[in-house]
Amino acid sequence: MNRGEQKGFPQNTRSVCPVCLRPVPARRVWRENGIWMEKTCPVHGDFRVPVWRNRLDYNRWRAGTPLLEEGEGQDCPGGCGSCGGHGQGTCCALLEVTSRCDLNCRFCFAEGGAVCQELSLEALKEAVDQIMEQGKNPLLQLSGGEPAVRDDLPELVRYARERGAPYVQLNTNGIRLARDPDYVRRLARAGLSFVFLQFDGVTDQVYRQLRGQSLLETKQEAIRNCDACRLGVTLVPTVVRGVNEDQLGRITALGASLSPAVRGIHFQPVSYFGRCPAMPADDWRYTLDELLADLCQQTGLPPEAFTPSRCDHPMCGFHGVFLAERDGRLRPLTGRAACRSVRGTESGKGTEGGQAQSLFTSPAQNRAYVGRHWMRRDAESGLRDYGRSEETPDMAAFLRRVRSSSFTLTAMAFQDAGNLDIERLRRCSLHVYDRGRLRPFCARYLSPLKPGEPNI
């Protein structure tokens, strides 16, 4: 990184003490090994945490995003809700339908388990009414705990659709969906739009480490049952350094091979809130730029195919849309990569006539993806090949294929007490229903960090 990229630092913002959650001033500072947040609690002392590893160009990634102005965010996160100071409306609203869960995962933002805390069906319907009114009919996510432990969930789905929810999404570990095909059919008939399926890797070792048991075949059966009911599935890996960050490419290959049953993958680098092992050491942090850089290197996809989150702060996530070809390759439909023929790229030169620019900051990283833009399907997927139509030059046919075979690769980097940035929080569009009001996700689940280091 050259010295010109240090301009604009330090950047002032606000955060919280990771121990007591007291609101404190903070700043982002530039270091050779990345961008760090530094803050001081008058009771618990100094803290610093990495928020960007310089695997991608930080300034280009967040270009045009205004900094937090002096005096802004003074009431955050304690006063967070649908207030006049919040910069975004509600795009997605999450409704916890139960605290019960049939797993006891090592990482769980909601700390689901055997203890039952849940609203009645009638109370949940009232919550849906409030969400639709306050959020102006947002996408509704049904979550928990494990929402599929409720037998009356299909009735709630039907009610939400009748009340104007354009899409109803189920966030699930997939256990009941795998074991109870009739339950899946009931959800589909009720109007469920799609399924967000917890899917951490392609080996059972990953599930044993993160979820406590072997679950790969269960996940596969859940996908098959959803596909039989024409319920699209998005795979949702929680990415933990040292556990499954080396499986990003294999997860993507498997997901693409199962299109259109699987419609995409939503990566979530682990955040340390709710139930988590302990306060992480600096090298346990897995930042958004690391995730995208590793994803591109493992798949051969170009970083130009991805754009920063547009509904939220750019440091909260990324988004890429692809066309899943019948042989398992992914063709970029978004970003600068969609505007040129990736197959025609040589030595980093695009068909626009100039040098292709990469978000990678290292020339070695640039060379790593050039010539490997097309990702091949993993031959070890173990699931049947979902057929796709032949390619055709007809634009109308192409658009039909995009509707049926589009495949998304997205990510959301949730914040915890260590890296909470009020600048980011004020642009959150994912809100959680909390006792009559909608609150930003990372404010709702914010929890103190415990001393010690994670032991995975």
Side-chain angles (χ1 to χ4, degrees), residues 390-435:
E390 296 288 336
E391 291 189 48
T392 163
D394 183 275
M395 178 57 70
F398 174 76
L399 293 176
R400 287 195 297 272
R401 286 198 58 222
V402 169
R403 285 193 292 270
S404 65
S405 299
S406 62
F407 193 89
T408 60
L409 294 176
T410 60
M412 176 60 73
F414 294 117
Q415 303 176 89
D416 54 51
N419 60 12
L420 184 77
D421 189 331
I422 299 303
E423 179 188 299
R424 289 176 55 185
L425 191 67
R426 285 165 59 85
R427 293 188 57 172
C428 175
S429 67
L430 172 59
H431 298 160
V432 181
Y433 178 82
D434 182 18
R435 292 171 291 185

Side-chain angles (χ1 to χ4, degrees), residues 3 6 58 82 99 101 122 124 128 138 142 177 288 314 335 376 391-392 408-409 415 433 444 452:
R3 288 200 171 272
Q6 301 177 37
Y58 172 85
S82 300
S99 64
C101 188
E122 290 308 311
L124 288 174
V128 168
L142 301 180
L177 273 58
L288 183 70
R376 297 289 179 177
E391 291 189 48
T392 163
T408 60
L409 294 176
Q415 303 176 89
Y433 178 82
R444 165 63 180 83

Side-chain angles (χ1 to χ4, degrees), residues 307-330:
T307 60
S309 174
R310 299 188 186 279
C311 291
D312 303 287
H313 193 281
M315 290 181 68
C316 290
F318 60 74
H319 182 87
V321 182
F322 303 83
L323 181 65
E325 303 282 16
R326 65 186 183 89
D327 62 356
R329 296 180 296 180
L330 295 178

